């Protein structure tokens, strides 16, 4: 085999999972190279985003980077509320107890600020062991020798070999897919998140949300303001901005032909948010990403040869009930993978690193959180058409409504029960039917009118920063028929049925004298979420290093 540049460890992706892996590797004196495809770490990353530090976790981000919270985070989230909505009627629950369960702390974060700060620390640490961090490098594949994974290939560099490869390259990980460990086959295995970052001075946040400068608040939203799409909305306070977004099951978006940007607008313009957003709404950035549903896709053995998967690349995103945790699990997984390699290296048995890493995920209780047994039971009972229909029918009946009224305040306690939150089935019942009935029967009518006018989709795209890779499209339509790829027209967060400037568009052409509806593609406005890879017949890959969209906030 050709002699290529060699490192003991190569980490692909400089997000929290990659940063954690690199930090632990460097602490153990292991020569580590970190490769990041963005112009800067965080420029390709999007999160809701709350970063948790769990009391039960073997590693937290501030364990590895002690000044993280002071330097890289936004506000500590000290209150957590869930709002059940039916039209203008709202019933709110304080579920801070659920938020604080097994929680040492939880901070709002913005990925560009957070990841770029982490990357600076990682570069310093890895340089001391003979490595470093390089941005603008897209790892495009796995290098194999006699069928075994031995390194990575890149667009911008010659191939690199390594004793350990950490795939921390996110939900759209090409390495995970090339290794045959993950796929994009089933829409029901994914969520799609869409987010707006809105400008708001710290003193205005303090006044409108009734919090101090050292406090933050989280609001979640469910019910019928999103139609029948399964999912909900969120609002988190940052230091001088708000993160407002929606997260929905991808298969539900497809079934309802819902348009993500419009669902976000439904939230932004709801009267409940009127006093918070006021009449001076200024949107700084629009973004989107796919989110793995760990209950279905968290890989139970996330390795092959000397390749290990961490974070979203391994499907390690926990979404049980109203609590969403992903970045903290990426940190834990990255650190455990590095720890496993350090131990295997010390024993002269680096071939055992993958299994050792997997064992740690189970021994430390990570897999128990990602694939909770309670959900598996609830899924078998609740996630079938007849059972869902019967339950929804009961809830909306006079008897069901009477039961909701009888439970009254006890519902808030039930929503705050960790064991129940881990059992929530992926049906309309918990996302739409139940919260709507709760609001109708127990809620208060909101009299305020919203004065928010969200930007148009064209303006949102126009406000993003792109470096288009002219002549090298990263997505190619394999089948342009409406049947095969039409779902992308509505599911893509920068496309819409009545909008001709997004990625995917419906067109009418004449074929043999007959009209035929087809789909066309323009990758220039792509936000690289990967939605179309799941819902359309496409060949999808990341753009080359530094090319494509660049998020300023994330």
């Amino acid at each position: 085999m050709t002699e290529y540049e060699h490192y003991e460890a190569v980490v692909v992706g400089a997000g929290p999972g990659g940063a954690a892996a690199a930090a632990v590797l460097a602490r153990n004196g292991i020569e580590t190279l970190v490769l990041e495809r963005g112009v800067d770490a965080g420029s390709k990353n999007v999160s809701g985003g709350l970063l948790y530090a769990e009391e039960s976790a073997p590693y937290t981000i501030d364990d590895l980077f002690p000044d993280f919270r002071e330097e890289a985070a936004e506000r500590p989230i000290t209150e957590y509320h869930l709002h059940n909505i039916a039209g203008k009627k709202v019933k709110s629950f304080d579920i801070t107890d659920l938020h604080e369960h097994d929680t040492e702390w939880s901070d709002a974060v913005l990925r560009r600020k957070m990841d770029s700060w982490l990357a600076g620390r990682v570069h310093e640490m890895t340089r001391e062991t003979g490595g470093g961090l390089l941005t603008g490098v897209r790892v495009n594949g796995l290098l194999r020798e006699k069928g075994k994974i031995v390194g990575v290939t890149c667009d911008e560099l010659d191939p690199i070999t390594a004793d350990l490869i950490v795939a921390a390259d996110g939900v759209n990980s090409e390495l995970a897919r090339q290794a045959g460990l993950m796929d994009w086959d089933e829409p029901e295995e994914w969520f799609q998140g869409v987010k707006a970052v809105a400008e708001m001075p710290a003193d205005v946040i303090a006044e409108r949300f009734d919090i101090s400068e050292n406090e933050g608040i989280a609001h979640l939203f469910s019910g019928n303001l999103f139609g029948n799409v399964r999912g909900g909305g969120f609002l988190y306070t940052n230091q001088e901005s708000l993160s407002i977004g929606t997260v929905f099951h991808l298969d539900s978006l497809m079934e309802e032909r819902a348009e993500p940007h419009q669902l976000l607008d439904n939230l932004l313009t709801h009267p409940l948010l009127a006093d918070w957003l006021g009449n001076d709404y200024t949107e700084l950035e629009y973004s989107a990403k796919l989110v793995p549903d760990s209950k279905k896709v968290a890989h139970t053995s996330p390795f092959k040869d000397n390749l290990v998967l961490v974070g979203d690349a391994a499907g390690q995103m926990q979404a049980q009930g109203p609590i969403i945790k992903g970045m903290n699990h990426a940190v834990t997984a990255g650190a455990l993978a590095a720890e496993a390699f350090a131990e295997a290296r010390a024993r002269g048995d680096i071939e055992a690193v993958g299994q050792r890493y997997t064992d740690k995920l189970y021994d430390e209780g990570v897999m128990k959180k990602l694939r909770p047994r309670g959900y598996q039971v609830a899924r078998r009972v609740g996630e079938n058409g007849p059972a869902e229909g019967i339950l929804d029918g009961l809830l909306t009946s006079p008897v069901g409504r009477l039961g909701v009224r009888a439970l009254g305040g006890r519902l808030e306690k039930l929503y705050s029960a960790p064991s129940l939150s881990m059992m929530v089935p992926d049906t309309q019942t918990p996302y739409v039917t139940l919260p709507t009935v709760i609001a109708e029967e127990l809620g208060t009518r909101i009299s305020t009118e919203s004065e928010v006018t969200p930007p148009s989709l064209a303006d949102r795209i126009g406000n993003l920063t792109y470096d288009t890779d002219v002549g090298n499209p990263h997505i190619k339509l394999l089948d342009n028929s409406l049947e095969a790829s039409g779902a992308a027209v509505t599911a893509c967060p920068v496309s819409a049925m009545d909008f001709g400037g997004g990625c995917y568009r419906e067109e009418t052409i004449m074929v043999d004298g007959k009209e035929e509806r087809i789909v066309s593609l323009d990758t220039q406005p792509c936000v690289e979420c990967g939605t179309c890879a799941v819902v359309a017949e496409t060949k999808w890959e990341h753009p080359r290093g530094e090319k494509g969209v660049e998020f300023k906030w994330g």
Side-chain angles (χ1 to χ4, degrees):
M1 181 177 178
T2 305
E3 289 294 325
Y4 295 115
E5 188 171 9
H6 180 85
Y7 289 85
E8 287 186 279
V10 169
V11 177
V12 183
V24 174
L25 288 166
R27 280 185 178 183
N28 283 275
I30 295 167
E31 180 189 46
T32 304
L33 177 67
V34 183
L35 300 175
E36 163 59 43
R37 68 186 178 91
V39 65
D40 187 19
S43 65
K44 293 293 186 180
N45 297 338
V46 176
S47 173
L50 298 187
L51 173 57
Y52 282 82
E54 291 185 321
E55 294 171 350
S56 62
Y59 289 95
T60 62
I61 195 75
D62 57 331
D63 290 336
L64 304 174
F65 304 94
D67 50 349
F68 169 84
R69 298 187 71 191
E70 293 75 20
E71 299 293 334
E74 296 293 314
R75 291 175 183 260
I77 298 302
T78 53
E79 296 182 43
Y80 205 91
H81 300 271
L82 174 65
H83 305 283
N84 301 280
I85 298 175
K88 291 188 175 182
K89 293 190 72 175
V90 178
K91 178 60 179 177
S92 300
F93 294 152
D94 184 337
I95 56 171
T96 305
D97 285 348
L98 177 63
H99 164 70
E100 293 181 344
H101 172 71
D102 192 29
T103 299
E104 184 177 338
W105 54 262
S106 174
D107 289 353
V109 297
L110 292 168
R111 290 297 297 273
R112 182 64 181 265
K113 172 184 173 182
M114 180 183 86
D115 290 9
S116 61
W117 183 87
L118 287 172
R121 307 292 83 72
V122 164
H123 185 54
E124 294 172 2
M125 297 169 73
T126 53
R127 283 185 65 183
E128 294 180 1
T129 62
L133 186 150
L134 295 177
T135 59
V137 177
R138 177 202 166 216
V139 175
N140 60 25
L142 296 166
L143 183 68
R144 289 179 167 88
E145 181 180 8
K146 298 179 180 179
K148 181 182 176 181
I149 298 169
V150 296
V152 297
T153 58
C154 312
D155 286 335
E156 296 78 16
L157 302 174
D158 289 335
I160 300 168
T161 60
D163 299 322
L164 172 71
I165 303 162
V166 180
D169 50 340
V171 67
N172 305 324
S173 172
E174 289 161 297
L175 301 187
R177 284 161 179 78
Q178 288 189 24
L181 296 173
M182 299 290 280
D183 60 51
W184 272 323
D185 292 342
E186 305 297 338
E188 60 265 29
E189 295 176 346
W190 308 94
F191 300 93
Q192 184 202 76
V194 172
K195 187 180 81 166
V197 176
E199 185 177 34
M200 187 170 288
D203 60 332
V204 178
I205 291 176
E207 178 186 354
R208 294 183 182 177
F209 292 91
D210 191 25
I211 54 178
S212 73
E213 64 179 22
N214 296 318
E215 295 177 322
I217 195 166
H219 291 284
L220 300 188
F221 311 90
S222 61
N224 66 7
L225 76 165
F226 305 118
N228 290 322
V229 189
R230 303 193 317 276
F234 62 86
L235 183 155
Y236 306 140
T237 52
N238 303 315
Q239 288 181 0
E240 295 188 333
S241 65
L242 305 176
S243 292
I244 312 170
T246 55
V247 181
F248 296 103
H249 287 271
L250 187 55
D251 61 322
S252 186
L253 279 171
M254 293 175 61
E255 291 164 4
E256 299 296 327
R257 298 287 281 179
E259 298 183 340
H261 74 284
Q262 185 57 59
L263 295 172
L264 174 62
D265 290 349
N266 289 355
L267 176 60
L268 290 171
T269 58
H270 192 275
L272 176 61
L273 280 68
D275 289 340
W276 296 328
L277 300 185
N279 61 0
D280 53 351
Y281 178 79
T282 302
E283 194 167 293
L284 299 173
E285 186 170 76
Y286 174 77
S287 58
K289 69 166 294 184
L290 279 187
V291 182
D293 185 349
S294 72
K295 303 187 301 294
K296 301 182 178 76
V297 300
H299 206 294
T300 56
S301 186
F303 74 94
K304 185 172 184 179
D305 299 332
N306 63 345
L307 171 74
V308 297
L309 313 181
V310 305
D312 278 1
Q316 295 166 343
M317 207 295 300
Q318 177 187 2
Q320 274 86 44
I323 301 294
I324 295 178
K325 297 179 178 180
M327 291 178 285
N328 61 304
H329 294 313
V331 169
T332 295
L336 290 177
E339 182 183 276
F341 180 74
E343 293 172 357
R345 173 177 173 261
R347 290 167 171 77
D349 187 16
I350 59 175
E351 300 296 324
V353 63
Q355 188 58 56
R356 183 178 289 271
Y357 163 54
T358 300
D359 291 343
K360 288 178 179 290
L361 290 174
Y362 283 92
D363 294 343
E364 295 291 351
V366 178
M367 291 306 300
K368 183 179 179 180
K369 299 171 186 176
L370 297 174
R371 285 184 172 266
R373 292 180 180 177
Y375 168 74
Q376 301 304 327
V377 175
R379 182 183 189 183
R380 288 193 291 270
V381 175
E383 290 185 22
N384 64 75
E388 181 182 355
I390 292 170
L391 185 54
D392 278 7
L394 176 61
L395 280 171
T396 55
S397 71
V399 173
R401 292 176 181 276
L402 178 63
V404 168
R405 291 196 297 272
L407 284 170
R410 283 175 288 179
L411 282 168
E412 186 172 71
K413 291 185 178 181
L414 291 174
Y415 269 81
S416 295
S419 58
L420 290 179
S421 73
M422 301 285 276
M423 297 175 63
V424 175
D426 292 337
T427 65
Q428 281 196 17
T429 304
Y431 291 110
V432 182
T433 310
L434 179 56
T436 300
V437 172
I438 289 172
E440 289 172 342
E441 298 302 320
L442 304 175
T444 301
R445 185 170 297 277
I446 304 293
S447 59
T448 312
E449 294 295 330
S450 174
E451 298 184 37
V452 170
T453 301
S456 67
L457 187 56
D459 286 342
R460 282 168 164 159
I461 294 171
N463 288 334
L464 290 169
T465 298
Y466 292 95
D467 184 356
T468 304
D469 197 358
V470 178
N472 292 287
H474 64 285
I475 310 172
K476 295 181 181 179
L477 265 174
L478 303 178
D479 187 336
N480 69 350
S481 69
L482 193 63
E483 180 181 6
S485 301
V489 177
T490 51
C492 170
V494 291
S495 301
M497 286 291 292
D498 60 350
F499 179 58
C503 284
Y504 286 86
R505 310 159 193 174
E506 279 191 31
E507 295 182 0
T508 301
I509 63 172
M510 298 299 294
V511 179
D512 297 330
K514 296 181 180 179
E515 288 189 350
E516 184 175 319
R517 299 291 287 171
I518 64 166
V519 174
S520 61
L521 169 65
D522 176 6
T523 62
Q524 190 278 327
C526 177
V527 290
E528 301 170 31
C529 64
T531 296
C532 60
V534 184
V535 305
E537 287 294 324
T538 63
K539 179 183 178 182
W540 197 102
E541 57 186 17
H542 290 113
R544 293 187 298 168
E546 300 187 358
K547 297 297 183 180
V549 70
E550 178 188 344
F551 294 116
K552 302 295 186 181
W553 302 88

